[in-house]
Amino acid sequence: MEPAAHQVPGAADGGAHPPGDAQADGADGVDGTGGADGPGTELGTNEPRGASETEGPKGSGGDTGTPEDGARTSEAGAGIPEDGAGTYDDAGTPEDDAGIPEDDAGAPDSAGIPEGEEPAGVAALSLPARIFVAIALAVVTVGIAFHVAMVFFQTAPYNTISKQHAEVIDAYVNPEFERNWKLFAPNPLQQNVAVHARATVAKDNGDTQTTGWVNLSAMDGEAIRGNPAPSHTQQNELRRGWEFYTDNHDEKSRPIGLRGQLSEDYLKRIVMRRFGPELNGGSVERVQVRSAVTPVAPPKWSEERIDVKTQYAVQPWWQVTSADLPGGGK
């Protein structure tokens, strides 16, 4: 005799059949029921369905044999552990920590920074601070580009831009960033030039005195020697002032045009900055400069013979006025 047909909850006949009712051996389980192997289990529990309550008829065949949460579970036939570990929820995702993290810890926020970590660098600044940093960076970049361009056009051969903007370029480069080609051929500098100065001072008793020659170039050399960062004034002020003077005077030390007179005033003020208004117990009334030119001796292996005797070129006396004193007579 064939076994009786298995009724499922909510069948059309309306009869209530406990979900845990045992079936005959060999009967196939109906989809949504426990089948012949044993009763089905509630989601995430070890209790048989119907242990706490018995499902009544659903009234529709479409919901037959399914728990209230709609999940299909089996005690042994579906490969789900008996203790409920690793069971699946309604969305089919693991409930334990083996898959997606349960909370949002470590998830990146909208800025791409993991939650719980503080931003670093510029990202940690406020919006006004970021704007200020961006503006400062732009200003520094433009300043560096302008400086490089000015030095390049001053050093490069004459071209349309350097000729058209010669005054602007020279005003920016000279004297702080001035450079020349005297270290290179065809006419490298082969002599040492020193500038000396002396003064006539008036004593309180009415007497006058002429001081000895003071080597101004040697003063600059002492300040530069051993100094890892000497000032541009110590390196170039006196040297450039003397070159300015000689370029605008003839062989008899007579000024050539307006620049000749201007070079005299410039060199005289350089000397007065070194001497000051009072010297040797008296007031400075006049100053005089001279050049001391010493040729550079050739190397020992050279057959060239040069007279290395120092040659002096003495300039006229210049009367000192209040405009020549430090401060320009203000």
Side-chain angles (χ1 to χ4, degrees), residues 179-246:
R179 62 196 64 232
N180 56 57
W181 299 99
K182 291 186 177 180
L183 289 176
F184 307 98
N187 187 27
L189 191 63
Q190 298 181 0
Q191 57 190 12
N192 291 321
V193 181
V195 179
H196 301 171
R198 64 179 179 176
T200 298
V201 297
K203 301 287 187 175
D204 293 339
N205 58 8
D207 295 337
T208 60
Q209 177 188 0
T210 300
T211 67
W213 290 103
V214 179
N215 192 337
L216 303 181
S217 298
M219 295 172 59
D220 288 345
E222 289 296 327
I224 295 171
R225 189 174 294 110
N227 187 351
S231 70
H232 192 78
T233 300
Q234 294 169 339
Q235 297 179 80
N236 298 313
E237 182 185 53
L238 181 61
R239 178 182 63 83
R240 295 290 292 143
W242 179 253
E243 290 178 356
F244 181 38
Y245 175 82
T246 56

Side-chain angles (χ1 to χ4, degrees), residues 8-33:
V8 298
D13 59 359
H17 185 80
D21 195 13
Q23 302 297 319
D25 293 339
D28 295 333
V30 182
D31 187 18
T33 65

Side-chain angles (χ1 to χ4, degrees), residues 57-82:
K58 298 295 183 177
S60 173
D63 294 332
T64 60
T66 59
E68 292 181 2
D69 57 354
R72 300 175 184 176
T73 60
S74 174
E75 186 175 290
I80 301 175
E82 295 182 359

Side-chain angles (χ1 to χ4, degrees), residues 119-171:
V122 179
L125 301 177
S126 61
L127 180 59
R130 294 182 188 179
I131 295 175
F132 176 80
V133 170
I135 294 175
L137 182 60
V139 171
V140 171
T141 303
V142 172
I144 293 175
F146 177 79
H147 173 77
V148 172
M150 291 295 101
V151 173
F152 170 77
F153 285 119
Q154 193 271 340
T155 307
Y158 280 111
N159 54 70
T160 303
I161 297 178
S162 60
K163 290 179 180 179
Q164 184 176 359
H165 303 283
E167 294 184 2
V168 177
I169 295 173
D170 292 339

